[in-house]
Amino acid sequence: MAARRLSSLLSRSLAASSSSGSASLLSSLGRSSGCGKSIHRFSTAAAEELIIPPVQINYTQNLINGQFVDAVSGKTFPTYDPRTGEVIAHVAEGDAEDINLAVAAARKAFDEGPWPRMTAYERSRILLRFADLVEKHNDELAALETWNNGKPYEQAAKSELPLLIRLFHYYAGWADKIHGLTVPADGDYHVQTLHEPIGVAGQIIPWNFPLVMFAWKVGPALACGNTIVLKTAEQTPLTALFVAKLFHEAGLPPGVLNIVSGYGPTAGAALASHMDVDKLAFTGSTDTGKIVLELAARSNLKPVTLELGGKSPFIVCEDADVDKAVELAHFALFFNQGQCCCAGSRTYVHERVHDEFIEKAKARAVRRVVGDPFKKGVEQGPQIDSEQFEKVLRYIRSGIKSNATLECGGDRFGSKGYFIQPTVFSNVQDDMLIAQDEIFGPVQSIFKFKDLDEVIRRANATRYGLAAGVFTKNLDTANTLTRALRAGTVWVNCFDVFDAAIPFGGYKMSGIGREKGIYSLNNYLQVKAVITPLKKAAWL
Amino acid sequence: MGSHGNDNLESSVKIPTIKFTKLFVNGEFVDSISGFNLSLSLCDRSISMFLLVCHVDKEDVDLAVNAARHAFDDGPWPRMPGSERAKRMMKFADLIDQNVEELAALDTLDAGKLFSMGKAVDIPSSADTLRYYAGAADKIHGDVLKMSREFHAYTLHEPIGVVGHIIPWNFPTTLFFLKVSPALAAGCTMIVKPAEQTPLSALYYAHLAKLAGIPDGVLNVVTGFGPTAGAAICSHMDIDAVSFTGSTEVGRIVMKAAAESNLKVVSLELGGKSPLIIFDDADVDMAAQLALIGILYNKGEICVASSRVYVQEGIYDKLVKKLVEMAKAWVVGDPFDPKVQQGPQVDKEQFDKILTYIEHGKREGATLLTGGKPLALGGKGYYVEPTIFAEVKEDMLIAKDEIFGPVLALAKFKTIDEAIKRANSTRYGLAAGIVTKDLDVANTVSRSLRAGTIWINCYFAFGNDCPFGGYKMSGFGKDSGLEALHKYLQVKSVVTPLYNSPWL
């Protein structure tokens, strides 16, 4: 209750004049507020006593060949608490030399080690044991994730850690069911396909869901019998080291999973261009994805999976359940501080329900509870770092400048850390920058549309194609939109439904390939066709 | 002939207290309605033990089906996510691992199976089977289809409903889980009828299932005889599928009962007379070992036993010499004794049947190379010497019928074509073995044999991911692998028109 009160929202107009907050604000206040009119008071999360994370940072070195080691250069880099911008640990800074060591370890573990040679069932048991260990350390890991990333602790503990556990259960189940085919060839031949592990996988993961992204990458790669060099995001190096330690406790042989912390242009680039890495999987921005693909092309033509940016439409049709659509559109955008590649960042609302929708969407955003992510009931923590924080604020200014209507929010929240007010723009036009670029922050843009063909055209008029939301009760509308939208995921009357079994990935410049589900296995398998003549075949 | 283990053995194995002898319906152990018990004679060793186990009738089956029906139609099991079913199945598997010793003892008491094998193989590998299917429970995919007009269509793979499993006595644990695990993963509810000889471990598993969080009514176990309990299952109007493992003659009755009642889906895993073909280029030691294990494993009480061994003329003499030596060294005796390789046959009926076949073999003119007699260990028990007949012809009874005992029929052949022809001249088609180093021979023979499993340079190479089931009168439908999962699924096609689709 206190948390809710303390973290109430403030509007742009008062942000500058408010100093530290009295803790008197009611969550209902926002409901009557028009932008810049009503009285907003707030208390910054930073002004409050921040909760001390109930976890210690034990692992800061690179994990190579089963050992925690310093960077070859001896260098470290600071990692921060985004609530305050303060340093919480110094982490070994891997660069090309460390990547070389990690790749050599992974290479050896693949070429000579037990991992690809043990039975798939034994591999599955190790994955299951790992999942059990993570479950045991659930709260600790969630605390570390929140501390380093700023996401609500409840979200990390009750939704993301269980997702990771579920994913490893899921891929453990695949390990012993990876089937090749016997193939009917034209002629007297016996033909089979062997689905072999692809080798050493290089994986580069982002900071927005450090553990979930770890799971998406590592789960299928290990289930298929590969070895891995994983580079974490420089903003969030901590939890991957912790879980990788647990993996070794679960019986993972040394060298199978190597973790290097470091920056993209050094460590990341070295991994992407390494001649002994057989496969690369990257999740991050479209710009970086291009570089990764180029490095792979220039080096050894390693196949690349890319899961990149998005500007996903969320389409509310005239027959939609408006209240539900408002809530889900809000969730689709603001979830994880808006730092989701599949955020529903273009909300298209049919003109007949548009005004009602705006009112309710604004009211919902104003009610959003921002504050210390460790506090119960807090829905939104800080953005990840000052760079993202500044970038989001720049986009907000751009939206205002281009004459979109600022319904609420529009500025930083509080005076310390990287908190941003939940921000809603209406009257957004397709050609505005906020309609085109991935903002990656708590900024909702609402558009108006008249008919289905129009919204299909507009929704598809983007270089991205990661996901889409469709809100309608009409079966035919749902089917038409589902097929017409050029996006890798379409959520109909729901959003952000993630499950280990559901493939995820982008059309167009949102990426290449699919992760999760049975589809992700293909990323980590080579197909070998084996052909031999048949003598006197009983049948063909 | 057939040396034997210590026959006044004071077993080091603790005979467990028998905890469960009632039937298990809707999550509870209950008495049968009739109140009748069947008397179970436990593994005939030096001490005779008898135990009363509930004897189930049609009325008891009705109750169990009601429970399963209710659990399927209204209960949580088919309605929970596959991952949740998986979680409980994983727990079930862990509970089995925690009780290995007791479970192995139950199967040894019931069926005379080797305790050491049960403990090291049958019981733990059944936990593995559960885990395999737990891993499949959240991977039951339908297809989205390509229609030739403007339609959106997809398939749903739904659980088939209430399943009846009827399992035999030779592998009480293994077969229990070969049937139950995929059906659980699919989201079915079920009634299991173990063989009347071997009900104890099944009841114990029902108890563990409950502890693991499998909801009441999902897994029911009824103990009783085929003509009463089994027949009631096969002809029940509220059972959607029946899965049977046993003899071909009973399989026929099962199918007939299904046909005459509600046309329930039937899968049958029946008898076999599986050939093992040894070519001239084979490694003699390896081939002899495979031939021996192929017939003597589990006292020959295994449907895939390699009961016909065809040996190419060039290697014949060497191989037979080796094989006979090995058979003579084989240790028969108390199955609780870790040195023993072969226990007693399951009961007097089987024992007598085997001896009758041996007499047939002699009369029909086959050459008895070794064995051929019962082994009297302390004057008790149903022990049979490892027995090898040579010069067996396809028209002899010992080459045609499934003996289900340690009796091997040997024959000599000249060419591949001859071997294929003779190996296929059987009404069965469960499995076959090939021993050769020649790739082309292996491939040709693999495709030519009309059998559900072909083992090349190995035998009994079962695996959870490897479908298993027969051709011809060995049955239809597969156990093991993802194929078995599909036995317990219905396919529903869903079709709706599409408007303005940008692609078809």
Side-chain angles (χ1 to χ4, degrees):
Chain A
M1 169 169 181
R4 174 163 268 269
R5 204 170 61 229
L6 294 178
S7 56
S8 298
L9 305 177
L10 79 164
S11 83
R12 180 179 60 99
S13 58
L14 282 186
S17 59
S18 300
S19 52
S20 75
S22 59
S24 62
L25 244 228
L26 307 168
S27 55
S28 60
L29 204 158
R31 231 173 272 150
S32 60
S33 66
C35 172
K37 277 191 217 144
S38 56
I39 297 162
H40 285 73
R41 310 187 62 188
F42 75 104
S43 92
T44 68
E48 290 304 309
E49 195 78 356
L50 288 175
I51 290 175
I52 297 165
V55 61
Q56 284 201 321
I57 298 170
N58 293 327
Y59 311 109
T60 56
Q61 293 166 294
N62 292 324
L63 180 53
I64 295 175
N65 207 23
Q67 304 291 325
F68 280 108
V69 291
D70 287 326
V72 175
S73 67
K75 283 202 283 191
T76 63
F77 65 99
T79 191
Y80 304 94
D81 177 348
R83 298 178 300 170
T84 59
E86 284 160 11
V87 175
I88 57 174
H90 292 274
V91 176
E93 185 186 334
D95 58 25
E97 282 185 90
D98 305 280
I99 291 290
N100 285 341
L101 287 179
V103 171
R107 190 79 259 164
K108 184 148 186 275
F110 185 77
D111 293 343
E112 298 159 35
W115 185 246
R117 288 161 191 84
M118 67 176 70
T119 67
Y121 181 67
E122 287 173 78
R123 279 199 294 277
S124 83
R125 294 303 300 274
I126 291 173
L127 298 187
L128 291 172
R129 274 203 292 277
F130 166 66
D132 289 346
L133 286 175
V134 171
E135 210 164 1
K136 233 185 251 171
H137 293 274
N138 188 86
D139 294 355
E140 230 176 313
L141 279 163
L144 191 56
E145 190 83 323
T146 291
W147 195 7
N148 203 190
N149 169 284
K151 64 178 62 217
Y153 171 77
E154 296 274 297
Q155 175 190 322
K158 295 193 176 146
S159 139
E160 294 182 16
L161 264 300
L163 259 179
L164 174 142
I165 293 161
R166 154 90 177 118
L167 195 127
F168 278 96
H169 282 152
Y170 178 79
Y171 280 107
W174 270 125
D176 56 0
K177 299 170 189 72
I178 294 170
H179 293 166
L181 298 172
T182 52
V183 179
D186 190 10
D188 285 11
Y189 293 100
H190 175 57
V191 184
Q192 338 169 32
T193 56
L194 301 181
H195 291 195
E196 302 183 344
I198 198 165
V200 174
Q203 304 182 324
I204 302 174
I205 60 173
W207 47 261
N208 57 341
F209 294 94
L211 280 176
V212 173
M213 292 298 108
F214 173 94
W216 287 21
K217 297 278 186 285
V218 171
L222 290 188
C224 294
N226 298 286
T227 62
I228 295 172
V229 177
L230 179 134
K231 188 197 94 62
T232 48
E234 64 270 21
Q235 294 88 343
T236 53
L238 299 177
T239 46
L241 294 169
F242 192 148
V243 290
K245 171 74 171 48
L246 295 180
F247 234 133
H248 287 82
E249 269 176 47
L252 194 73
V256 174
L257 174 61
N258 305 277
I259 313 279
V260 177
S261 313
Y263 293 93
T266 49
L271 190 56
S273 52
H274 207 291
M275 292 300 286
D276 284 335
V277 172
D278 301 302
K279 156 79 194 173
L280 199 77
F282 170 80
T283 295
S285 73
T286 295
D287 286 344
T288 310
K290 283 181 175 177
I291 298 171
V292 165
L293 191 58
E294 203 181 322
L295 292 175
R298 278 200 195 151
S299 55
N300 62 345
L301 291 171
K302 56 181 78 64
V304 177
T305 311
L306 299 174
E307 204 269 273
L308 308 176
K311 193 74 189 176
S312 298
F314 187 104
I315 301 171
V316 182
C317 299
E318 57 183 315
D319 65 339
D321 176 336
V322 173
D323 289 335
K324 203 174 160 201
V326 164
E327 183 56 35
L328 273 161
H330 175 84
F331 171 66
L333 185 281
F334 290 100
F335 175 63
N336 206 48
Q337 293 72 246
Q339 299 169 147
C340 296
C341 48
C342 59
S345 51
R346 293 183 294 147
T347 310
Y348 287 95
V349 183
H350 192 271
E351 57 180 4
R352 249 186 247 164
V353 290
H354 180 262
D355 293 351
E356 181 191 357
F357 187 95
I358 298 276
E359 268 317 298
K360 290 178 168 171
K362 179 172 74 180
R364 179 62 187 89
V366 168
R367 275 205 312 278
R368 186 166 187 81
V369 185
V370 185
D372 182 351
F374 277 104
K375 281 189 181 148
K376 222 179 155 89
V378 164
E379 295 175 283
Q380 182 177 319
Q383 308 307 117
I384 186 73
D385 61 12
S386 63
E387 192 186 329
Q388 287 294 319
F389 174 77
E390 295 299 342
K391 186 179 117 184
V392 173
L393 291 177
R394 270 202 306 280
Y395 276 115
I396 292 176
R397 285 194 292 273
S398 154
I400 294 165
K401 219 166 118 191
S402 56
N403 285 328
T405 308
L406 180 68
E407 297 285 346
C408 63
D411 207 336
R412 77 179 302 173
F413 177 93
S415 55
K416 206 174 175 196
Y418 310 125
F419 296 87
I420 292 180
Q421 301 166 14
T423 298
V424 177
F425 281 111
S426 62
N427 291 317
V428 183
Q429 304 305 313
D430 293 356
D431 59 357
M432 293 177 183
L433 206 59
I434 57 167
Q436 291 180 347
D437 283 10
E438 184 177 41
I439 300 174
F440 231 60
V443 183
Q444 185 177 30
S445 298
I446 302 176
F447 306 69
K448 193 193 281 188
F449 77 92
K450 274 194 175 109
D451 68 58
L452 219 52
D453 287 344
E454 174 208 336
V455 79
I456 290 170
R457 191 174 38 74
R458 291 173 65 191
N460 281 337
T462 166
R463 60 184 181 274
Y464 294 114
L466 197 53
V470 170
F471 261 75
T472 177
K473 289 175 187 145
N474 185 293
L475 173 63
D476 294 333
T477 305
N479 280 337
T480 298
L481 282 173
T482 297
R483 293 207 172 207
L485 293 170
R486 307 273 300 155
T489 299
V490 178
W491 283 294
V492 182
N493 298 327
C494 58
F495 205 88
D496 277 349
V497 176
F498 285 105
D499 181 80
I502 304 174
F504 182 82
Y507 278 44
K508 300 196 268 186
M509 286 175 72
S510 288
I512 301 174
R514 294 293 177 269
E515 293 189 307
K516 298 196 287 131
I518 187 173
Y519 296 86
S520 198
L521 296 175
N522 297 334
N523 297 330
Y524 298 102
L525 293 168
Q526 269 291 12
V527 177
K528 180 183 282 176
V530 184
I531 304 114
T532 189
L534 271 178
K535 306 272 160 67
K536 292 202 280 184
W539 55 270
L540 284 176
Chain B
M1 317 219 98
S3 56
H4 54 78
N6 182 0
D7 56 1
N8 66 344
L9 170 107
E10 258 315 306
S11 171
S12 56
V13 180
K14 197 165 165 281
I15 306 297
T17 319
I18 309 296
K19 294 176 187 152
F20 309 109
T21 57
K22 297 178 178 185
L23 49 151
F24 189 78
V25 174
N26 209 21
E28 304 293 336
F29 284 102
V30 294
D31 284 312
S32 62
I33 294 173
S34 69
F36 288 143
N37 288 320
L38 63 90
S39 149
L40 183 72
S41 103
L42 297 178
C43 171
D44 262 29
R45 315 164 52 213
S46 37
I47 332 146
S48 290
M49 279 174 64
F50 287 93
L51 180 73
L52 296 179
V53 175
C54 272
H55 174 217
V56 158
D57 262 330
K58 183 175 179 311
E59 287 164 57
D60 302 297
V61 170
D62 284 343
L63 281 182
V65 173
N66 271 344
R69 192 78 257 167
H70 183 66
F72 185 78
D73 293 343
D74 309 308
W77 190 245
R79 287 162 192 85
M80 65 177 67
S83 60
E84 181 58 36
R85 286 198 296 276
K87 206 184 271 178
R88 297 172 196 214
M89 290 171 70
M90 290 287 185
K91 175 107 190 278
F92 192 178
D94 291 344
L95 289 172
I96 292 169
D97 280 342
Q98 288 160 26
N99 292 279
V100 166
E101 200 126 331
E102 191 170 350
L103 288 161
L106 290 181
D107 279 352
T108 301
L109 280 174
D110 257 0
K113 292 176 68 69
L114 294 179
F115 175 77
S116 56
M117 280 297 280
K119 196 179 145 187
V121 181
D122 289 40
I123 313 289
S125 70
S126 290
D128 297 344
T129 301
L130 256 175
R131 289 194 190 96
Y132 171 86
Y133 285 106
D138 56 3
K139 299 172 183 68
I140 300 169
H141 294 111
D143 293 322
V144 174
L145 308 170
K146 213 64 176 171
M147 301 294 279
S148 52
R149 287 181 290 151
E150 287 203 303
F151 284 105
H152 175 60
Y154 55 89
T155 57
L156 297 176
H157 290 204
E158 302 183 343
I160 203 165
V162 175
V163 181
H165 299 296
I166 302 177
I167 57 179
W169 45 261
N170 57 340
F171 290 90
T173 291
T174 307
L175 289 167
F176 183 94
F177 286 102
L178 272 189
K179 304 281 189 207
V180 164
S181 314
L184 284 176
C188 295
T189 63
M190 61 209 73
I191 296 107
V192 183
K193 191 197 92 60
E196 63 269 20
Q197 296 91 336
T198 54
L200 295 181
S201 60
L203 292 169
Y204 202 109
Y205 293 126
H207 161 70
L208 294 182
K210 182 164 174 136
L211 292 183
I214 311 267
D216 292 349
V218 171
L219 175 60
N220 306 277
V221 177
V222 296
T223 51
F225 291 98
T228 48
I233 288 172
C234 298
S235 56
H236 208 289
M237 293 300 287
D238 284 332
I239 290 181
D240 301 300
V242 65
S243 170
F244 171 80
T245 294
S247 71
T248 296
E249 52 182 310
V250 178
R252 199 191 290 278
I253 298 170
V254 167
M255 194 168 166
K256 222 167 128 184
E260 281 171 0
S261 56
N262 63 346
L263 293 169
K264 61 179 67 64
V265 177
V266 176
S267 66
L268 303 174
E269 202 268 272
L270 307 175
K273 194 74 189 176
S274 299
L276 173 71
I277 308 174
I278 300 169
F279 289 92
D280 278 345
D281 66 345
D283 178 290
V284 175
D285 289 344
M286 187 237 260
Q289 184 67 26
L290 290 177
L292 188 81
I293 296 293
I295 189 63
L296 295 185
Y297 179 67
N298 205 51
K299 330 157 237 171
E301 291 171 350
I302 181 165
C303 48
V304 287
S306 62
S307 48
R308 294 183 294 145
V309 174
Y310 292 97
V311 186
Q312 203 161 15
E313 54 184 4
I315 197 178
Y316 185 86
D317 292 339
K318 265 196 289 187
L319 188 112
V320 169
K321 184 165 170 275
K322 183 98 202 165
L323 189 57
V324 171
E325 270 169 27
M326 289 164 78
K328 287 182 175 168
W330 194 252
V331 186
V332 183
D334 185 332
F336 277 105
D337 181 344
K339 292 192 298 288
V340 160
Q341 293 167 298
Q342 179 183 325
Q345 308 305 129
V346 70
D347 60 16
K348 182 154 195 324
E349 192 186 333
Q350 288 295 322
F351 175 75
D352 290 341
K353 189 178 121 187
I354 294 163
L355 295 177
T356 310
Y357 274 115
I358 291 175
E359 289 314 306
H360 266 296
K362 290 179 190 162
R363 261 207 314 278
E364 284 172 315
T367 311
L368 182 65
L369 296 182
T370 183
K373 291 193 301 295
L375 254 180
L377 300 180
K380 286 198 173 184
Y382 309 128
Y383 298 91
V384 178
E385 289 178 347
T387 301
I388 301 177
F389 281 107
E391 289 151 78
V392 179
K393 308 227 159 40
E394 277 70 40
D395 60 355
M396 293 180 182
L397 216 54
I398 58 166
K400 284 188 348 198
D401 284 9
E402 183 176 43
I403 298 175
F404 230 59
V407 183
L408 180 66
L410 265 177
K412 197 191 285 185
F413 72 92
K414 284 195 164 91
T415 66
I416 292 195
D417 287 346
E418 182 199 343
I420 291 170
K421 191 153 166 274
R422 293 177 68 184
N424 277 337
S425 68
T426 166
R427 61 182 181 274
Y428 292 114
L430 198 52
I434 303 168
V435 190
T436 178
K437 290 175 187 144
D438 187 312
L439 174 64
D440 291 331
V441 170
N443 282 336
T444 301
V445 179
S446 297
R447 292 210 173 203
S448 300
L449 293 176
R450 307 277 297 157
T453 299
I454 310 290
W455 285 301
I456 304 171
N457 298 330
C458 58
Y459 210 82
F460 296 135
F462 292 105
N464 284 323
D465 199 39
C466 188
F468 170 77
Y471 277 44
K472 301 197 273 187
M473 286 174 70
S474 289
F476 48 82
K478 303 289 175 198
D479 285 327
S480 276
L482 295 180
E483 305 275 339
L485 191 61
H486 288 276
K487 220 161 74 160
Y488 303 109
L489 294 167
Q490 265 290 13
V491 177
K492 178 185 282 176
S493 293
V494 184
V495 187
T496 188
L498 267 180
Y499 301 96
N500 301 319
S501 174
W503 55 271
L504 283 176

